[in-house]
């Protein structure tokens, strides 16, 4: 009998910390973009989908950058679904990640299981971790739900047993989704039914990639003779499979640099991808045809790729690659989900034994024959049809609780979403002011000295903000919503109106500073950042003159237990220093730096900022000494090259290995 039970998984884990309290107003820092020279050669449908509403803003989601690299044993709630053949371990508080898929008859783990939980800056909104199977919905990149809770409950499976349902509200595209996992009795395959719904009266851009981490000492098989290669030099081009530039790229260690290979699976061909070790043992994923795309991601054998592998886990634990399945050919594309419609499919994950070596077509033919014997394609289609009749089944026992954002949207619009209830009792503190706006037409004032909180930017909420009383708080939120809607002149006017009567000016000044930067007014932006930081320091809970500053306490306090102040001070201080350095105002940048608490200045991100500040002041040897002393930028962004660029200004020697995160060949 299939069972679902609760379990506790204990891992060395770094704390996630608080979200960044400043609204993400700048354009999205997304590496997956291509230029016009590659766009012209794309198939017509791919070109259309590449151009279809790519994500340009993280709003209404906040950046999650409060984590560090100090790991300690931590208990994680897990849900285990098991039959006599397979055991799947799911982490509902971390996006519903399938952390492990264990094949009991052979004793083999089918996935790459990360022995630690180390957040890193790979999700669209920051914190992400490697390993297992993740459900990527929203837009190009790792989902903003990577490190967030989802709802979970028991549901009756199509065969009468138990099924684990996961569901949440994806906020970037404002769409609810569900993932149903079950193990038919005696099955070697985990079945996954997935559905994304669009309850709106307008079409919505939709994105989905199921991302499977497997050990990298594998050969990756997919039924294709060509692939679209995309690297961090941001070029998309068609290449042959398996051999490209004289190297068989289906073996992940053979690539030098990190890259994506999006396989061109012919129409009518069964959709599948597998990763097999030298003995022919491994994992296969297959699906109904709606999940069209298949992809291999490799870190590469170069020093940057190896450094990232160490960064995401424990050194010496073995590397991994990713095999993926998505709605379209590449992750640069989005598809249109029509108004009041849905899209759904079924996936299956299980063991595969097939010879991995030899002629490509012979290897593929042999693997497909083994897959067909183990799980016929017709059985996958039949399982999908059977599951679809249960997709609306109401959940039974609740096993985990996600966010209250879906409940807020259901309260606003009155949607009926059978199978994925967003109950009123899931509403929490983040939703409370917006529920108040919905029910009374006014925004409540936050507690004294609290940051304004996250802003809702969808058109119905913006309309409510435009008709509520024009308090400084309402003008702040309205400006953020207008900015998101690309009505930037109106956003600036809203923030300027709010500034006239605001007691605490720093949130509005910071927004205006970003607007100045985006408009090319860098000196004015620096002025506003300096004024914003002064205002923040003046409104700290215990007043601006509590200490003489010898220990950094005359500015924005960073001690634990001060509520949101450490996160606010770190975020605003970091931006202010950067803006001031950009216009050569090193003395003003130094003044902001010295008002930050020592606990903030000691973080790796701020050690890099300190080195940049010292370099700008002409104190090259002291800046170089920061590198010698060592630092780790916990939230270093995927593809970021800031450390290497600063090093090149300070020293002609090669970049030390501990700082080498380069993911692309040197230009030229």
């Amino acid at each position: 009998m299939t069972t679902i039970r609760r379990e506790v998984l204990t891992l060395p884990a770094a704390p996630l910390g608080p979200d960044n309290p400043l609204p993400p107003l700048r354009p999205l820092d997304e590496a997956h973009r291509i230029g016009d020279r590659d766009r012209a050669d794309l198939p017509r449908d791919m070109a259309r989908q590449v151009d279809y509403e790519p994500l340009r803003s993280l709003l209404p989601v906040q950046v999650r950058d409060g984590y560090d690299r100090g790991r300690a044993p931590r208990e994680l709630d897990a849900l285990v679904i098991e039959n006599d053949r397979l055991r799947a371990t799911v982490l509902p508080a971390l996006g519903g990640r399938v952390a492990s898929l264990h094949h009991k008859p052979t004793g083999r783990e089918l996935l790459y299981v990360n022995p630690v939980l180390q957040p890193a800056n790979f999700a669209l909104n920051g914190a992400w971790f490697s390993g297992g199977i993740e459900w990527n919905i929203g837009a190009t990149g790792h989902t903003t739900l990577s490190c967030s809770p989802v709802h979970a409950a028991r549901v009756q499976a199509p065969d009468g047993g138990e099924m684990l349902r996961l569901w949440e509200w994806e906020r970037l595209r404002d769409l609810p989704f569900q993932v149903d996992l079950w193990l038919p009795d005696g099955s070697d395959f985990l079945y996954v039914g997935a559905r994304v719904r669009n309850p709106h009266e307008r079409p919505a851009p939709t994105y989905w990639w199921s991302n499977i981490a497997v050990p990298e000492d594998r050969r990756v098989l997919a039924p294709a003779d060509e692939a679209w290669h995309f690297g961090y030099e941001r070029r998309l081009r068609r290449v042959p499979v398996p051999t490209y530039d004289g190297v068989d790229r289906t073996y992940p260690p053979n690539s030098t640099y990190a890259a994506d290979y999006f396989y061109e699976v012919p129409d009518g061909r069964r959709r599948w991808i597998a990763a097999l070790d030298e003995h022919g043992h491994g994992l296969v994923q297959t699906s109904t045809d709606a999940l069209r795309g298949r992809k291999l991601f490799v870190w590469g054998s170069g020093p940057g790729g190896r450094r990232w592998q160490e960064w995401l886990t424990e050194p010496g634990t073995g590397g991994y690659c990713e095999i993926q399945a998505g709605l379209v050919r590449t992750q640069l594309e989005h598809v249109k989900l029509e108004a009041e419609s849905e899209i759904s499919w079924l996936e299956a994950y299980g063991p595969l034994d097939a010879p991995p070596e030899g002629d490509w077509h012979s290897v593929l033919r042999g693997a497909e024959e083994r897959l067909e014997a183990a799980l016929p394609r017709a059985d996958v289609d039949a399982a999908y049809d059977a599951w679809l009749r249960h997709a609306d089944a109401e959940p039974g026992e609740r096993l985990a609780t996600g966010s209250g954002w879906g409940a807020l949207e259901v309260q606003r619009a009155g949607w009926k979403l059978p199978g994925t209830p967003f109950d009123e009792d899931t509403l929490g503190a983040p939703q409370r002011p917006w529920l108040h706006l919905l029910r009374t037409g006014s925004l409540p004032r936050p507690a004294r000295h609290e940051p304004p909180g996250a802003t809702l930017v969808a058109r119905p909420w913006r309309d409510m903000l435009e008709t509520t009383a024009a308090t400084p708080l309402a003008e702040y939120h309205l400006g953020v919503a207008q900015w998101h809607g690309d009505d930037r002149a109106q956003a600036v006017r809203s923030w300027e109106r709010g500034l006239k009567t605001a007691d605490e000016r720093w949130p509005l000044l910071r927004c205006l500073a970003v607007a100045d930067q985006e408009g090319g007014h860098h000196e004015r932006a620096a002025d506003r950042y300096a004024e914003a930081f002064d205002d923040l320091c003046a409104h700290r809970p215990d007043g601006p003159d509590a200490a003489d500053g010898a220990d950094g306490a005359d500015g924005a306090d960073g001690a634990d237990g001060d509520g949101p102040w450490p996160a606010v001070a770190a975020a605003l201080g970091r931006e202010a220093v950067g803006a001031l350095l950009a216009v050569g105002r090193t003395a003003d940048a130094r003044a902001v730096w010295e008002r930050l608490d020592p606990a903030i200045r000691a973080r790796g991100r701020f050690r890099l900022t300190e080195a940049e500040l010292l370099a700008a002041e002409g104190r090259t040897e002291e800046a170089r000494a920061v590198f010698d002393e060592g630092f780790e930028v916990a939230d270093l962004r995927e593809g970021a090259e800031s450390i290497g660029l600063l090093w090149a200004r300070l020293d002609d020697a090669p970049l030390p290995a501990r700082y080498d995160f380069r993911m692309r060949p040197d230009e030229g």
Side-chain angles (χ1 to χ4, degrees):
M1 292 290 292
T2 299
T3 60
I4 299 174
R5 69 177 187 276
R6 288 187 172 92
E7 199 170 89
V8 174
L9 184 65
T10 302
L11 286 178
L16 285 171
D19 288 352
N20 189 317
L22 306 181
L25 300 177
R26 292 182 177 83
L28 191 67
D29 177 20
E30 173 48 52
H32 292 79
R33 300 281 171 83
I34 60 172
D36 291 339
R37 60 179 174 175
D38 292 332
R39 193 182 305 265
D41 296 328
L42 299 180
R44 185 174 301 175
D45 62 333
M46 186 189 294
R48 183 175 62 252
Q49 290 170 165
V50 165
D51 289 334
Y52 178 55
E53 295 198 31
L55 190 69
R56 305 188 188 282
S57 170
L58 270 180
L59 290 165
V61 177
Q62 291 176 286
V63 173
R64 179 160 286 172
D65 61 3
Y67 53 88
D68 58 30
R69 294 187 56 79
R71 297 192 288 266
R74 174 183 164 196
E75 292 185 346
L76 303 175
D77 290 333
L79 299 172
V80 177
I81 178 169
E82 185 171 14
N83 67 2
D84 61 334
R85 311 288 294 176
L86 281 176
R87 181 172 62 248
T89 303
V90 180
L91 303 178
L94 295 167
R97 182 82 58 99
V98 179
S100 167
L101 186 61
H102 179 79
H103 188 234
K104 295 161 76 171
T106 59
R108 295 190 191 115
E109 173 58 50
L110 301 181
L111 305 175
Y112 167 76
V113 176
N114 197 332
V116 305
L117 175 59
Q118 177 56 63
N121 193 356
F122 280 79
L124 286 164
N125 62 330
W128 173 86
F129 66 102
S130 63
I133 306 171
E134 60 176 314
W135 318 111
N136 286 306
I137 180 174
T140 301
H142 293 284
T143 176
T144 61
L145 296 166
S146 294
C147 292
S148 295
V150 297
H151 302 281
R154 299 179 195 269
V155 185
Q156 187 179 51
D159 61 359
E162 286 192 318
M163 182 163 65
L164 176 62
R165 174 162 299 164
L166 311 171
W167 74 99
E168 229 333 327
W169 196 277
E170 200 289 309
R171 301 180 66 208
L172 294 179
R173 302 301 197 182
D174 243 358
L175 301 176
F177 71 96
Q178 73 187 75
V179 175
D180 290 351
L181 303 96
W182 78 101
L183 292 165
D185 192 30
S187 175
D188 279 312
F189 285 83
L190 173 69
Y191 285 9
V192 179
R195 175 167 66 166
V196 181
R197 290 193 274 199
N198 178 12
H200 302 282
E201 296 177 349
R202 51 172 173 74
T206 307
Y207 173 96
W208 184 283
W209 282 81
S210 300
N211 182 7
I212 309 129
V214 293
E216 68 178 352
D217 57 347
R218 300 287 189 268
R219 190 180 197 189
V220 173
L221 310 180
D225 293 325
E226 293 182 309
W228 294 91
H229 172 273
F230 185 83
Y232 282 80
E233 61 273 27
R234 302 191 180 191
R235 293 293 312 279
L236 180 69
R237 53 190 181 272
R238 199 191 298 254
V239 299
V241 174
T243 301
Y244 161 50
D245 270 357
V247 177
D248 189 333
R249 308 288 174 164
T250 62
Y251 294 90
N254 285 355
S255 292
T256 304
Y257 295 99
D260 299 325
Y261 293 90
F262 298 103
Y263 295 111
E264 187 70 75
V265 180
D267 291 341
R269 193 82 177 261
R270 184 174 184 176
R271 308 286 160 173
W272 63 275
I273 190 167
L276 305 178
D277 66 18
E278 60 181 340
H279 305 293
H281 307 312
L283 170 82
V284 64
Q285 186 270 2
T286 187
S287 71
T288 50
D289 290 349
L291 207 62
R292 173 182 182 176
R294 293 299 185 274
K295 169 194 161 181
L296 164 65
F297 167 76
V298 299
W299 283 105
S301 60
R306 306 327 296 168
R307 184 71 181 102
W308 275 116
Q309 293 264 29
E310 293 177 351
W311 190 253
L312 294 168
T313 184
E314 294 282 10
T317 56
Y320 76 96
C321 63
E322 295 169 358
I323 57 176
Q324 302 189 24
L327 288 174
V328 282
R329 284 187 182 96
T330 75
Q331 289 172 333
L332 288 73
E333 302 166 71
H334 299 84
V335 295
K336 180 183 291 187
L337 187 56
E338 296 295 345
E340 300 177 335
S341 69
E342 64 182 50
I343 186 170
S344 60
W345 61 92
L346 186 131
E347 305 177 50
Y349 297 82
L352 182 68
D353 293 308
E357 306 289 346
D359 169 72
W360 179 242
H361 293 106
S362 298
V363 168
L364 290 183
R365 186 164 53 251
E368 285 187 313
E369 290 172 355
R370 296 289 184 91
L371 173 59
E372 185 65 18
L375 183 63
R377 184 178 186 179
D379 287 3
V380 174
D381 292 336
Y384 168 71
D385 292 338
W387 166 74
L388 205 55
R389 294 192 292 271
H390 288 74
D392 284 350
E394 286 305 303
E397 179 192 358
R398 303 303 167 89
L399 300 172
T401 302
S403 78
W405 294 114
L408 183 66
E409 292 302 321
V410 168
Q411 289 282 313
R412 181 189 63 78
W415 284 312
K416 304 298 182 185
L417 300 167
T420 54
F422 293 96
D423 297 328
E424 188 173 353
D425 62 7
T426 63
L427 292 164
Q431 295 81 41
R432 198 166 294 132
W434 300 98
L435 188 63
H436 192 277
L437 175 65
L438 178 65
R439 290 176 173 173
T440 69
S442 65
L443 273 175
R445 293 192 61 173
R448 186 170 180 266
H449 299 313
E450 289 288 314
T455 303
L456 295 184
V457 296
R459 188 73 219 198
W461 294 105
R462 175 176 165 178
D463 291 344
M464 283 183 252
L465 289 169
E466 287 176 341
T467 57
T468 192
T471 65
L473 179 65
E475 296 285 14
Y476 165 85
H477 284 302
L478 175 58
V480 174
Q482 290 166 332
W483 184 269
H484 175 266
D486 208 26
D487 196 349
R488 297 193 167 187
Q490 280 289 79
V492 168
R493 282 193 284 271
S494 295
W495 292 327
E496 289 175 340
R497 282 195 306 268
L499 201 59
K500 293 176 181 178
T501 57
D503 293 328
E504 297 185 32
R505 297 161 54 85
W506 65 264
L508 293 152
L509 285 167
R510 183 266 176 178
C511 290
L512 289 167
V514 174
D516 284 335
Q517 285 181 318
E518 292 298 305
H521 306 294
H522 298 290
E523 279 287 355
R524 191 167 67 197
D527 288 338
R528 281 176 159 157
Y529 265 120
E531 186 181 353
F533 195 77
D534 286 344
D535 185 73
L536 174 67
C537 293
H539 285 94
R540 51 176 291 190
D542 51 356
D545 301 315
D548 61 9
D551 61 357
D554 67 329
D557 201 311
D560 291 337
D562 281 342
W565 286 94
V568 173
L572 186 59
R574 174 177 162 184
E575 290 187 9
V577 169
L580 290 162
L581 287 180
V583 295
R585 289 165 56 174
T586 55
D588 291 335
R590 172 64 64 181
V592 171
W593 169 262
E594 290 179 349
R595 298 177 79 182
L596 290 170
D597 186 85
I600 293 175
R601 298 200 301 252
R603 300 176 190 171
R605 166 61 63 184
F606 287 85
R607 293 285 285 154
L608 176 60
T609 299
E610 180 182 18
E612 292 168 341
L613 177 57
L614 289 166
E617 293 171 330
R619 298 156 67 180
T620 304
E621 291 186 6
E622 293 173 74
R624 177 67 172 72
V626 174
F627 280 84
D628 293 338
E629 293 164 11
F631 59 87
E632 292 186 325
V633 181
D635 64 330
L636 187 68
R637 183 65 178 167
E638 170 190 13
E641 299 179 352
S642 53
I643 295 177
L645 291 172
L646 178 58
W647 173 266
R649 291 169 53 195
L650 302 175
D651 201 308
D652 293 330
L655 181 66
R658 66 180 298 182
Y659 300 119
D660 190 351
F661 294 91
R662 291 172 292 185
M663 299 177 74
R664 63 185 178 94
D666 292 332
E667 294 180 358

